[in-house]
Amino acid sequence: MLGAVVAVSADLDTRTVLHRIVEAATDLVGARYGALGVLGEDGVFTDLITVGIDDPDLCAAMGLPQGHGLLHALVDDRRPLRVSDMATHPRAVGFPPGHPAMRTLLGVPLTVRDTLYGTLYVADKKDGTPFTNDDEDLLEALASAAGISLENASLYERLKRAAEHFQRRMLPVLPDLAPLQAAARYEPASELLRIGGDWYDAMVLPDGATCVVVGDVTGHDVEAAPPMGQIRNMLRALVGDRYGPPGVIVSRLDRALTMLENPPTATLVLGRIENRRGKYTFGWSNAGHLPPLLICADGDTRYLTPSRHGIPVGIDASVPRFTHETPLPPASTLLLFTDGLVERRDQDIDTGLNDLAEQAARLATAPLDELCDALTTRPGQTFDDDVAVLALRLPGDPNHPCIVV
């Protein structure tokens, strides 16, 4: 019983918790089948988790309980239910064609402080014996612990959604940067405590240049979000008031941060895209951040990695900053991103960078929204850290020769 409770409580992902509850229930009483019906706030079943029925087509055909039958009896009575012969029970109705024949059933409600979260059932002991009082006591004890785990998982999901909403509200809506095209994405980390410090921004400066920035505040929790807002707003004021080379702007940011009692630190890339007589250039300063990726229309890619990188901002205002410059070929795409896009716990970061370049090359001429979606929302993808992505595409003929130096 203790092992079952530990297993159920070992995760905060709701779906995982639900599966572990059903698996623990069938293991505890030696049942062949198990099911957990999940109730929504309106008292209607929203999900059904099963164990012992492996046919996905049958599971799909079963659907959700419709308010009648044994799987809804506990919703009405909120008391344990034990059936020794389902064939003779008046509420044993509604089974779809192909449903396994079941003879005995034991069910208990999943409640926490008078709130009914769902109903837990097991059917047919593997040894063929009927369910006993001891089985009922075990299942009730498990349901009591499982209800708390389910409530914790639900609270965790709500907190994660709230934190993500807070983070998204702090990020800007991209302005019209024409003739440049632009798209951005923010994806939260898969773990709540790693949401908080990544951002992007872009604006047209009074001299006609386009300023872009992607950054990541040190720290991986929601407490990193307010310092992120401070740094982003400081940068906006600095580049709008006395615009200049990116290295100069970052040096001014360093000095401004020293005026704070507890200066935040962050990595960032601040860039300036200029049109000089029809030819575009990108000037940028890198403060301890991953390099931008330049994607040519013909699929050639290159990370913009000069030999002199700066340290993160907020550490030492006396350390010099550098401005680098490179031409941007017509119809090329500039991709700025934070480390959550390429860092994984189980692989070297160079592998992540190479994979990103290869994937981006295949989408060199795809619409920017399609490119950003492909990089951030692949099916089953999880992120160890939150992710910010900013993509900008230059105007021009995509068939123009791409010369990257």
Side-chain angles (χ1 to χ4, degrees), residues 268-387:
L268 60 86
V269 171
L270 177 69
R272 177 183 170 90
I273 301 174
E274 297 183 60
N275 184 353
R276 298 174 181 172
R277 300 175 186 174
K279 295 184 178 180
Y280 285 87
T281 61
F282 178 56
W284 78 99
S285 185
N286 189 320
H289 200 79
L290 290 175
L293 177 64
L294 180 59
I295 312 160
C296 292
D298 62 4
D300 284 346
T301 61
R302 179 172 71 95
Y303 284 104
L304 303 181
T305 53
S307 57
R308 296 186 299 178
H309 274 191
I311 64 173
V313 297
I315 294 178
D316 187 349
S318 67
V319 174
R321 298 292 179 181
F322 311 103
T323 298
H324 316 283
E325 190 170 288
T326 189
L328 297 176
S332 62
T333 301
L334 188 64
L335 188 72
L336 292 83
F337 55 93
T338 56
D339 55 9
L341 186 63
V342 293
E343 281 190 341
R344 299 292 181 271
R345 294 170 184 165
D346 57 350
Q347 71 177 27
D348 186 84
I349 191 171
D350 288 338
T351 301
L353 289 169
N354 291 336
D355 290 345
L356 173 62
E358 290 177 4
Q359 187 179 16
R362 293 192 295 268
L363 297 163
T365 58
L368 286 188
D369 283 330
E370 182 181 331
L371 169 66
C372 290
D373 286 341
L375 298 180
T376 59
T377 57
R378 285 172 287 182
Q381 178 168 271
T382 60
F383 292 114
D384 296 335
D385 197 354
D386 50 340
V387 175

Side-chain angles (χ1 to χ4, degrees), residues 116-202:
L116 183 64
Y117 280 90
T119 56
L120 177 63
Y121 294 82
V122 290
D124 289 358
K125 295 184 74 169
K126 293 177 181 178
D127 62 7
T129 61
F131 292 107
T132 66
N133 290 333
D134 286 343
D135 294 330
E136 185 176 315
D137 290 342
L138 279 172
L139 207 60
E140 279 195 286
L142 174 65
S144 178
I148 295 173
S149 295
L150 190 56
E151 183 182 50
N152 288 341
S154 177
L155 290 172
Y156 176 84
E157 292 294 336
R158 290 203 294 271
L159 181 58
K160 185 173 180 178
R161 287 194 297 270
E164 180 184 344
H165 178 70
F166 171 65
Q167 176 79 350
R168 291 187 188 278
R169 288 291 299 270
M170 294 188 71
L171 294 172
V173 176
L174 291 180
D176 182 5
L177 302 177
L180 302 178
Q181 301 175 43
R185 293 291 185 275
Y186 170 79
E187 287 297 325
S190 301
E191 298 177 12
L192 173 64
L193 295 180
R194 300 188 70 81
I195 292 176
D198 293 20
W199 88 94
Y200 58 80
D201 205 353

